[in-house]
Amino acid sequence: MDVLFQALVENSADAVVLIDADGTIRFASESSARVLGYPPATRLGGNAFDNLHPDDETRARAVFAEILQQPGVPVSSEYRLRHQDGTWRDIEAVAVNRLNEPAVRGIVINYRDIT
């Protein structure tokens, strides 16, 4: 990872993930461990929907479809994710589709615990 990028995101209060169009996690910031308890390396290759509360899945997938159709447009949403300790956390997220940007080629999601 680029040293500058790492310096910018590693101690952020917000967590950052980069996912593919199918939801595969390509990057998870160190701060994601503070928010959900999972070491970032354990999330790589997993799916962003894996720890989503079942009651939020339909809405989250609809928002994700909207994100895919609107490159460059920030889309905010709230949902619940399972923490590593088994509890549910209320999450506020902002996602931006940057799949068409050669330097990014993914969907950037910044999220925080609002429980």
Side-chain angles (χ1 to χ4, degrees):
M1 174 188 328
D2 178 72
V3 175
L4 173 60
F5 176 74
Q6 183 174 353
L8 293 172
V9 302
E10 72 182 341
N11 293 311
S12 172
D14 286 1
V16 180
V17 293
L18 179 68
I19 65 174
D20 288 335
D22 65 359
T24 301
I25 298 170
R26 293 186 19 226
F27 168 81
S29 67
E30 290 296 323
S31 54
S32 66
R34 288 190 295 278
V35 176
L36 294 176
Y38 303 97
T42 65
R43 301 201 58 216
L44 300 181
N47 192 280
F49 295 96
D50 286 347
N51 294 318
L52 190 64
H53 192 284
D55 293 343
D56 295 343
E57 186 170 353
T58 299
R59 183 175 46 82
R61 289 192 182 273
V63 170
F64 190 69
E66 178 184 334
I67 292 163
L68 289 173
Q69 296 300 313
Q70 299 181 64
V73 177
V75 177
S76 299
S77 61
E78 293 181 15
Y79 48 88
R80 292 165 286 180
L81 288 176
R82 186 179 13 257
H83 189 278
Q84 187 180 30
D85 68 10
T87 61
W88 294 102
R89 303 297 169 94
D90 294 319
I91 300 296
E92 176 184 59
V94 177
V96 180
N97 175 348
R98 298 190 182 281
L99 289 163
N100 294 329
E101 296 178 26
V104 182
R105 295 189 192 267
I107 297 166
V108 178
I109 304 172
N110 296 71
Y111 66 95
R112 68 180 72 177
D113 184 345
I114 57 169
T115 304

